[in-house]
Amino acid sequence: MAIALRVLSGFSAEPLCTAAATRGWTAKDVKAAIEELEGTARPGQRLFIHGEAFCEGGRTLGDVLKTVGKKVSATGSQQLDVFLVKVEPVWAAMLQNVEDGWMELRDVAEQFQHDREVVLAAMRAKGTQLRDAAEEFRRDREVVMAAVSSNGSALRFAADSLKRDQEVVLTAIRGSDLALRSAAEELWHNRDFLLAVVQEYGSALMYAPMELRRDRDVVLAAVCNDVTALRHAPPEMWHEPEIRRVALEACAELWPEAAHAAQDRCQLACSRQQRRARGARMSEDALLAAVLA
């Protein structure tokens, strides 16, 4: 269903314009529509819905409607009021510089370092600026999500409570494997979390507790992503048929020279009688040991 978005003056509540929006619109989309319909440039706009700032890089209009309830217009579409506060040109220019990466958070005036919209713009431009953000913003989920979406390694600057947030951590890990080191210890005991991680970085199996390193599905997912993850699995997992098949196929494909060398060493080490008994078949264990050593 379409949304009839009424834009009102933040000071007088005077109607300024109306836009036909959708639930997927973000603050950036709303600002672009206001710029086109009303004329205020996007950096000079501050938006508020039901008394809360509606900032770029965060919620959608659909998210807002879930919390504020539905109001239906005369045309049958959902109606939502957004209040526009026009800001000083100097502030707008500073925000644009932060957003474009020309100015870092630590370089803006101190009063602006506590402005949520400025902080969000800084996080979108360069996530590692989270290190310069006030403690309140390191605990702010929306700010941290913006930071790790820009640079996953920014997770190390987040509050401990957000290092335990599965969605935040997975977003960070998908952006940078450096975030693996910052995930809270308790998350590695979460099977669903671990499965999601090893599908991105198989070698992350090294962070798993031993009971999950013995989990067939976890190890198989890790080996499918990176055969060298088998180094971090206990020896008995090497003999699980499906894991073994995937690992051997990957070894032969990625390291054909090592595979041939392992086969030669194995055959030379076997006596003639042993080779007849084994049908001159190379030792799969020798191959895995050789390429994973």
Side-chain angles (χ1 to χ4, degrees), residues 235 238-239 244 248 262 281-291:
W238 288 42
H239 300 286
R244 191 176 186 83
L248 288 167
R281 181 178 62 87
M282 78 174 211
S283 166
E284 293 176 345
D285 286 339
L287 169 59
L288 289 175
V291 299

Side-chain angles (χ1 to χ4, degrees), residues 132-144:
D132 302 316
E135 187 62 32
E136 63 188 284
F137 294 117
R138 296 190 191 196
R139 295 192 301 267
D140 187 309
R141 191 176 190 275
E142 187 177 347
V143 169
V144 173

